[in-house]
């Protein structure tokens, strides 16, 4: 497998830390053993855990006010892929990439697939973009895409999604994620019901074009770019659409797309129960759809979400198998560093959720022992599983301390030289 | 029909105001005529509009901190009914009462029905109470009712709902509203999926006991009395339950039971579209589920909700026919005054929504003329329809100025004498 | 005075509507007279009311996702001024413009001032921009401006503000509005106290450069472009800064910059009481800092804010005299139309607040008659003051129906021809 | 010192766990040593950390809907004190009690003080109650206490606070916490400015009665029991009042009393900077002022708050010395268990904040290394400090596993027998 980080450097850095890691790992193993948990089982599961990187996340994001680009940003999908490779080499838990079209459209998809193959990266959910007008686009999305009152705009948006499926097939992806910016800024601007009917009719056309072994994931979002109403404003509308369209259509949960105070883990449970959980866009937020680094503000909430996911796994819940992806905007950090760290934070939540004694928890729940039930979760969360995560990385040839290696390697600086700024760079950083 | 407000007083007060009203009504009529709106048609519709009064709303409410009771509060359902009669006599738009059990349970329902008949009041949706333990109750609802892990508590809650249906049949009601306080305060306390499964199984039992011509309305609520999760936390879970249970089960929207910033009118549209809008609990709120007087803080939101309702009526939307009820807590006002005023504020929203030129609006929507579409709504809202409301009241023998007559009549003072305080009074004021 | 809308057209359109207006005005006058309100006094006050237009508001706004420009947008401050002139000609209540630098920087300010003079437009609060890097800027604001840890960036930001004061002096403005995007996206990124100390020290330098007859207004904002913390996150920090800097520094309230559910009218009252209310940025929002058209979603809230302002005026509150400005983003409407309509909606709130009987209100407040107190406000709000607003416009030569005239005049279409799109156009639409 | 938990039991339980604890402690010590942190220093500081228990927290709380009392609840302040003793014996970090009057008023305060002395418990901040009417109270607080429009009600509230100071002096307390329920439910009900002026005038009277070595702490609260406005709605009004009153008056932060999404740690920083941080009421919440167990939902937020506190300590910030208190409502758990666990969770946040390398953090902040700065905090948070907390407890004779000992001791069951239910029990559980 092609590597972008010098193996000698990686090994040297790991060597410095290995003894301490072994010591911490042994101590944790002993502690877990007392609770009848085999650390090796957990470490093995940690090593299997993967979360996809969005191609656009490798660039510096911005706000409506400004964007402060960093140096050495990728200028096209091939360079984005290079950064994804680095992220995966160091973190060991991001073996797939989710592309966005038309940003990542290339003339020769086989070339692109080959580069990914060389890096050991797979392609997962493909994303369509009908929230921007492209240069020379004949019919605008200003007033909506799949739900536009004008057939011409809807047809364009439908065809674009069908094209994206085709690109995805060339890359070996198996699902399409549909998020649209459709909605309204003024009460009265849209007829809610008619707009939803148009949306569903358009989605039916796309659904028809879905290969048999594909899934389609609908993403809901409370607001922005539309500020009074969005066509799929919450999981309720999302679920109605997914049920309307059929078994290959499921709902995708982006952590940032909810009303203040929403209990997201409960929504996750409902979607699991009704076999409609398609996947996740992980990120964190304090105020709205802030797209901050995963787990950087509400690590316990992220853990509680994984508590639902691991519970469904434990119960062999029928039809369960969501896709995991990061979806963040990096405005003041090196995107590669944020993505490495965020992937590990997501993995951390997963591993902690594995430590919950589910039978004990069920017992407390059944007996209404609210405090002990809550402590069964909290105690798992309070454990420091860093040694497990580091050991899982070490064993698959990744870095014990990924950020230290990344900085040591001088990757960004090298890229700053290799990638002079290009004003025509595509779609990087927007989330 | 038996009256509780002296007719001579009412007529004298109306006489004082009739000439001014005629003048204002004529001016408004002329203005509306220019827009091809016949004021008489609107006034007739205003006169038909009714919103139910909740029996418990006639008492002073409180918070977990304190309750500051007023004088002359009703001490039982017969006295609550007296106050409801006054409210309807003066407002002319509250011809039905929604009772709550066991608070309003009596030995002889025929006596109760007869009193209501004499006042010209109907009984509408009956409400069950499984969020409190009653004295001597064998199995507690502390850890839930319909979703309790213990079968004994669930059975008690199911039977209570079946009993309430029976009481309702005796009174001539046609629907049951189910709101439960079930939920959790701690992450982990409840298994979300299992709790929901238990809830659905319990509700199936109640649904089976529903007479053929009845409906069952499920009420969702984001939080309180449970502060981490509630079993029916939003319209998504509400809809799933209503769809699971069958066509006689629909969703009820209480305006106060939503996350901050939620677009409630959009939820209303979705429920209409999917034939699942059962009814409303009207109130207003600034922070959470505050249960303030309807329209006292967000009159435009209330108008936008009625815009959806009137639109559904205009389009002859299949299966549309929601029940309207106030559901408020009056902590610092005379409950009768608040209920009179709130009913009229709800009626005001309805009447303003009637003034929207729907065909013009559809045209603006179709043409993406966002500003004109929004102004079509806003201009209707900006009109002062008070003369229409007053005229509708006058024509049916109610008061042009209901609060002036109420105060002039000295009703509360008289009640203060007639109803010495009773520490065993039942369930009044809690919302 | 130079006019941009054909006077003959304007007069012809007014003539069509004058008779109906007279009729509506007379009816309203009669109604108000019954409450001892002289409609002429109110109309005169309405005619004096003015709210400033932000130069940048004349362009189409956008979001971080996309911007869908409209045709005929202004490409520089001279063309923005043209649109401001149209807005004022038709609305009659926007006689001043608030510029933003460096977007509106010109070589010859006297030429700019002269053009404004010809249109009868004044310049009010000047705005600095240290939330974007300008091409070739030596020290970046990526990590903050006035609070940056690097002295070089702070000095640049200070000097820019001093420059902006100088530009403002040339234009005849009398105040500087300071909003900075400084803040952090990650816990720990900034030392809150040290950052605030640096901010205050920088502001002291700017304050020193303030002419004697100028004021400086600080704008707080809860989030964005920083998503974990902003340096002036709320009115508390705003007030502390304003008190620290001195009497010429006051706080500015932008309606969109608050936490969900915040009681903004109460903050307005506090700032009035402590003589620190500098001014307003009017807009409306549903979810966050949405920058929608003023009064388009929460007209009653806007009225309650004006209730505080008119009350302060009525009480001759010392040191009271805030500056009023619109600050909106128009993504799906013609900006000129939105600004015309919004200015009138702000004026509408002011006029309705004038109709409150303050002495009666004080009596209800003193006697704890909560319902009557609330109705004193609500009844004023329910009145339709459109005839007063239209009459005030007519009397000063503006349009009875401004939007009808604007469309009839074909202004935007003409501009589409006169102003071919320019990719280097400056700062229009961002809010 | 008098003990309520059998020492033999405690020692036996500790003995079972001591060896494992030593092993975990050693491993953690080794890990910390690598980062130049001496675990013994941290453990010593952990042992000194104390958070007060509110007397009312020892009873089961409720909501406006219902209260489901537990068995063996304390029926008066002497029994509450017994439970506080148990909580402190087991947790080792709650050596003081905060009483509430008139709930905890006794005839002979010396008797009460003596009982506390015997248990080794101190009395801290005393709390007044002017949000409820007491039986036979001559002037009601229905429409406010310190800000009431009626002098008689204000005088009563002032005198009550002066009385509470007197009680506190007898008990050896040194501060008074003032929270009032004053506010309004309707726009217009209160004149914001006049109400605030009355509040300040009343507070001046109380301030005058404050002994020289006392502090007065003002508590802000966004809403409830008033649902439209509260007199001290946020830290802005709180600070204005505290500054107005004088140096002995400071602000108290209750974590649950804020608008959604508020950055509370930033408010803490501002209060520290301006020497006005008086203390804390710790709890957690998801939706509003939910009063759930501390750290049960947002442990990272609690850590970030302690990061500010420890930073102020580290910088020897002038005038810094806040009082820590729990303030929770326990509706579905044994209050003693919740208080034990919550106290430890608060202590946990403190200890984790001690592990932050402040000089390294300052370096990252100065250099705008946002990711490393955030990880400096996150890494400290991710460490499992349970062994430190347990060791601190063990060394002072408390329990390694307090809840296990509590349950083993059968305390609640014993109390259920010793304390038959008393309907006249005072004020327990309300928060």
């Amino acid at each position: 497998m092609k590597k972008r980080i010098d193996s000698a450097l990686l090994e040297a850095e790991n060597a410095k830390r290995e003894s301490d890691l072994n010591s911490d790992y042994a101590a944790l193993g002993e502690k877990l053993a007392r609770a009848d948990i085999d650390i090796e089982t957990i470490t093995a599961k940690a090593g299997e855990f993967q979360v996809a990187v969005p191609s656009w996340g490798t660039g510096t994001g911005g706000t409506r006010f400004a964007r402060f680009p960093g140096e050495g940003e990728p200028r096209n999908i091939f360079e984005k892929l290079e950064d994804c490779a680095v992220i995966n080499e160091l973190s060991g838990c991001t073996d797939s990439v989710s592309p966005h079209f038309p940003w990542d459209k290339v003339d020769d998809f086989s070339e692109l697939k080959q580069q990914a193959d060389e890096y050991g990266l797979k392609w997962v959910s493909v994303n369509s973009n009908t929230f921007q007008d492209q240069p020379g686009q004949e019919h605008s999305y200003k007033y909506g895409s799949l739900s536009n009152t004008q057939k011409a705009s809807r047809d364009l948006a439908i065809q674009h999604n069908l094209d994206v499926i085709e690109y995805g097939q060339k890359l070996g992806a198996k699902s399409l994620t549909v998020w649209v910016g459709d909605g309204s800024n003024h009460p009265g601007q849209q007829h809610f019901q008619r707009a939803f009917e148009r949306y569903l009719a358009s989605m039916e056309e796309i659904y028809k074009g879905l290969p048999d072994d594909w899934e389609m994931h609908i993403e809901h979002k409370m607001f922005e770019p539309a500020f009074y109403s969005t066509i799929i404003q919450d999981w309720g509308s999302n679920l109605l659409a997914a049920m309307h369209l059929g078994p290959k259509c499921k709902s995708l949960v982006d952590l940032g797309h909810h009303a203040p105070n929403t209990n997201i883990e409960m929504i996750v449970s409902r979607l699991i129960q009704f076999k409609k959980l398609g996947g996740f866009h992980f990120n964190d937020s304090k105020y709205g759809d802030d797209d901050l680094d995963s787990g950087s503000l509400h690590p316990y909430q992220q853990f509680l979400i994984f508590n639902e996911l691991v519970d469904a796994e434990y119960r062999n819940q029928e039809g369960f198998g969501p896709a995991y992806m990061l979806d963040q905007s990096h405005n003041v950090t090196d995107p590669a560093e944020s993505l490495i760290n965020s992937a590990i934070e997501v993995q951390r939540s997963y591993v902690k959720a594995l430590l919950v004694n589910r039978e004990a928890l069920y017992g407390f729940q059944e007996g209404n022992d609210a405090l002990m039930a809550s402590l069964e979760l909290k105690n798992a969360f309070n454990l420091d599983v860093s040694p497990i995560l580091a050991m899982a990385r070490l064993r698959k040839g990744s870095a014990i301390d990924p950020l230290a290696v990344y900085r040591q390697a001088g990757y960004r600086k090298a890229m700053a030289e290799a990638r002079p700024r290009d004003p025509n760079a595509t779609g990087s950083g927007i989330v």
Side-chain angles (χ1 to χ4, degrees), chain A residues 366-377:
Chain A
E366 193 65 23
N368 291 313
D369 192 340
L371 195 74
M372 285 303 161
S374 77
L375 288 179
E376 184 59 43
L377 297 185

Side-chain angles (χ1 to χ4, degrees), chain A residues 163-178:
Chain A
D163 291 346
V164 168
I165 292 173
E166 195 192 309
Y167 307 153
Q169 284 183 292
K170 290 181 183 167
L171 291 171
K174 294 285 179 203
S175 64
L176 168 72
T177 297
V178 182

Side-chain angles (χ1 to χ4, degrees), chain A residues 331-345:
Chain A
N331 298 348
V332 293
T333 58
D334 179 327
E337 294 192 0
S338 272
L339 287 165
I340 288 169
N341 189 61
S342 297
I344 294 171
E345 285 308 299

Side-chain angles (χ1 to χ4, degrees), chain A residues 173-221:
Chain A
K174 294 285 179 203
S175 64
L176 168 72
T177 297
V178 182
W179 170 66
V180 295
D182 294 33
S184 66
N185 277 2
H186 291 264
Q189 178 184 340
Q190 260 185 6
H191 193 281
F192 291 143
Q193 181 168 338
R194 288 176 182 169
F196 198 41
E197 287 166 352
R198 287 190 299 266
Y199 171 84
L200 291 175
S202 296
M203 286 291 272
E204 286 171 20
E205 295 306 308
I206 301 169
Y207 190 87
K208 280 182 206 160
L210 215 56
D212 283 349
D213 58 345
W214 274 52
E215 278 190 5
M216 186 191 221
H217 296 161
I218 298 177
E219 185 175 353
H220 58 271
K221 191 169 191 307

Side-chain angles (χ1 to χ4, degrees), chain A residues 310-321:
Chain A
V310 168
D311 186 75
E313 213 171 76
Y314 181 83
R315 289 183 294 108
N316 295 309
Q317 176 78 13
E318 193 193 326
F320 177 75

